[in-house]
Amino acid sequence: MSPAALQSLLPQLILVFGATLILLAGAWLPGRRLWLYSGAVLAVLAALCAALLSPALTEVGGLYGTSLYARFCTVVWSLLVAATLLLSRRYADLHRFGGGEYTALLLFAGAGMSLLSAATSLIGLFLGLEAFTLVLYILIAFNRSDNRGAEAGLKYLVFGAVATGFLAFGIALIYTATGSFHIVEALGGLQSGGALRPLGMAGWAMLLVAIGFKISLVPFHLWTPDVYQGAPAPVSAILSTAAKGAVLAAFLPLLNVMGSGAAEVKLVISLLAIITMLVGTFAALPQTNLKRMLAYSSIVHMGYLLISLLVGGTDGGKALLFYLIVYSFATFGAFAVVTSLSSEQHELQDYAELRGLGYHCPRRAMALAAFLFSLAGIPPLAGFFAKFGLFRAALVHGYTGLAIIGIFASLVSVYYYLRPILVLFAQEESVTLAPNSGARGEYLLLAGCFAAVLVLGIYPGPLLDLVAVVLP
């Protein structure tokens, strides 16, 4: 690899080599906090390199691009990895995680997400997706003392393996049809006479099944509630934000390449969006466990985001990136509250255990309420503006039916977001389990997420301008 190629991939190399060094050094020096903080510093360094350094090449090895869009995604995923490492400090101490292994795995996951968002080839897309998925198999079951974690890891492994098979088969069909792995030539060559060729249609069907598994679209979502509930809370945080965001960010250029000749694909995506929004919404209504409710919430939000993919172009891209960032702040914040309340024996997540918690932990309860209000789309929080922008783009571009279903699902969702908030501030004397007092780093992260959902709701202009600049 040439020096120019190495310089162009410097953010990913920092993550990969940093992870390798920490993994090796962690075997000799088991300082848990040292490696968590070192990993966070490396992730921030990778984000700074992606933001500030101009790459020497526009594409490396015909696999990965270095566009503004790819670098922007690298910044977002790297910062989420850094936040997850900081959030994990007390949690890792409580559960005696191996600091070197845990930190290295999260950095490897960050590198995989970055490569996935930068993929310009179907091979690069496959490698990036599998790089962070393989890491998540381990991270989900990392707490070896929790049987639910092992069960969650096994379920994610089985469903993930099936998705990998569909992805590989889809790529093989597309290559058979076009003779190219490069995304522009491969997907652009699938059309004939304004319609998809049969092999192209079969290839896209396989790709959609694989993507559906990865981002929990209905009917490929069955693993999601069990995995979110069983995984360590910080891992659930990154699983529900960066892991899904990276797949959606990689999906946007694929549809843009297809242009107006993707009518069949868009029809299938429309159907997936409808059943994902409706099934996810009604499945979330009876939930009495916060992590399971957040799992169904993430399913519904993936349905919303499919609408922005269908809209495409500048409006769809802006709606997608803005929504992804706002959703990430709110969801990460909600899982950060669960993390901060957890003790060595237990994570408080059933509504019965949260009853009256607002009187004992008012700041964290208020933060959790703000994050849930934002996910529900209550003004003036950022979630309202994100949903407004997304549904407005859908209406302007003729997706009226999808917008109406999305608005309906959003209105119904207020019920399942309000339920835990009411429980938090109900009957002080009913608290049965003492919550943990939390750590200073957890409070700082919660304050940052709270400020983000508030500020982006009141003053979204700068972020909207930024995402408009970086769009592919």
Side-chain angles (χ1 to χ4, degrees):
M1 189 174 279
S2 68
L6 291 174
Q7 187 267 350
S8 302
L9 286 180
L10 188 57
Q12 292 84 0
L13 292 175
I14 289 173
L15 292 171
V16 170
F17 285 108
T20 305
L21 284 175
I22 287 176
L23 186 62
L24 294 174
W28 299 95
L29 188 61
R32 189 177 295 119
R33 295 188 181 187
L34 168 67
W35 299 126
L36 288 172
Y37 287 136
S38 300
V41 169
L42 284 169
V44 172
L45 183 61
L48 287 174
C49 285
L52 303 177
L53 285 184
S54 295
L57 302 175
T58 56
E59 189 176 57
V60 179
L63 294 175
Y64 300 107
T66 57
S67 64
L68 268 177
Y69 179 73
R71 287 152 55 199
F72 174 80
C73 290
T74 298
V75 171
V76 176
W77 314 144
S78 298
L79 292 180
L80 277 168
V81 167
T84 305
L85 286 166
L86 294 176
L87 178 65
S88 304
R89 188 192 62 77
R90 189 185 62 84
Y91 194 97
D93 283 342
L94 287 176
H95 298 282
R96 300 174 185 82
F97 285 178
E101 301 95 307
Y102 184 77
T103 303
L105 289 170
L106 278 170
L107 291 177
F108 279 129
M113 294 168 197
S114 171
L115 290 173
L116 175 62
S117 303
T120 56
S121 158
L122 293 173
I123 295 295
L125 187 145
F126 181 85
L127 293 175
L129 186 59
E130 292 311 309
F132 79 78
T133 303
L134 285 171
V135 170
L136 289 175
Y137 295 147
I138 305 169
L139 283 173
I140 288 167
F142 206 81
N143 187 1
R144 285 174 290 181
S145 62
D146 186 353
N147 291 332
R148 289 183 306 181
E151 179 188 343
L154 181 61
K155 286 181 178 176
Y156 192 67
L157 173 66
V158 171
F159 281 96
V162 173
T164 299
F166 277 105
L167 181 63
F169 195 23
I171 290 174
L173 287 173
I174 291 172
Y175 179 77
T176 304
T178 63
S180 175
F181 286 120
H182 202 263
I183 287 174
V184 175
E185 289 80 13
L187 298 186
L190 291 178
Q191 300 167 53
S192 175
L196 278 178
R197 295 156 60 184
L199 271 180
M201 197 174 299
W204 258 109
M206 298 292 148
L207 286 185
L208 288 177
V209 171
I211 291 169
F213 273 117
K214 298 297 183 185
I215 62 172
S216 313
L217 299 180
V218 177
F220 315 110
H221 67 292
L222 297 175
W223 60 271
T224 313
D226 292 341
V227 170
Y228 279 34
Q229 185 181 12
V235 175
S236 297
I238 199 163
L239 184 64
S240 60
T241 54
K244 289 189 173 182
V247 177
L248 282 167
F251 198 9
L252 178 65
L254 301 187
L255 279 182
N256 285 345
V257 168
M258 297 295 291
S260 58
E264 302 93 336
V265 176
K266 289 188 173 182
L267 176 62
V268 176
I269 295 175
S270 299
L271 294 174
L272 287 174
I274 291 170
I275 59 172
T276 299
M277 288 187 287
L278 294 178
V279 173
T281 297
F282 287 107
L285 290 176
Q287 298 304 317
T288 57
N289 179 288
L290 185 59
K291 287 175 82 174
R292 292 184 74 85
M293 187 278 284
L294 288 171
Y296 283 108
S297 161
S298 80
I299 292 170
V300 179
H301 284 281
M302 292 304 109
Y304 297 150
L305 286 165
L306 284 187
I307 300 176
S308 63
L309 287 172
L310 289 167
V311 171
T314 303
D315 289 346
K318 281 174 65 177
L320 175 77
L321 291 183
F322 185 84
Y323 198 108
L324 261 181
I325 291 171
V326 168
Y327 162 81
S328 295
F329 275 121
T331 302
F332 189 91
F335 279 109
V337 173
V338 176
T339 305
S340 76
L341 294 172
S342 65
S343 63
E344 184 176 358
Q345 293 80 25
H346 192 58
E347 284 183 3
L348 296 182
Q349 44 182 293
D350 288 333
Y351 290 175
E353 299 166 347
L354 297 173
R355 184 173 293 277
L357 206 64
Y359 298 100
H360 295 266
C361 314
R363 287 177 294 177
R364 283 178 287 176
M366 289 177 64
L368 178 58
F371 299 138
L372 295 179
F373 276 134
S374 181
L375 289 169
I378 304 294
L381 298 170
F384 168 76
F385 197 86
K387 286 187 178 179
F388 176 80
L390 191 149
F391 295 138
R392 180 182 174 279
L395 290 170
V396 168
H397 290 269
Y399 293 96
T400 308
L402 283 173
I404 291 172
I405 293 172
I407 293 168
F408 169 74
S410 189
L411 290 173
V412 175
S413 74
V414 174
Y415 172 79
Y416 60 77
Y417 287 123
L418 272 179
R419 279 187 71 195
I421 296 172
L422 294 175
V423 166
L424 283 172
F425 295 98
Q427 299 177 8
E428 179 184 1
E429 66 279 6
S430 299
V431 174
T432 55
L433 294 172
N436 195 285
S437 58
R440 184 179 301 172
E442 292 166 349
Y443 281 101
L444 287 174
L445 285 170
L446 286 175
C449 291
F450 180 82
V453 296
L454 186 61
V455 171
L456 290 175
I458 298 170
Y459 189 49
L463 180 58
L464 282 171
D465 293 340
L466 177 63
V467 298
V469 170
V470 304
L471 280 174

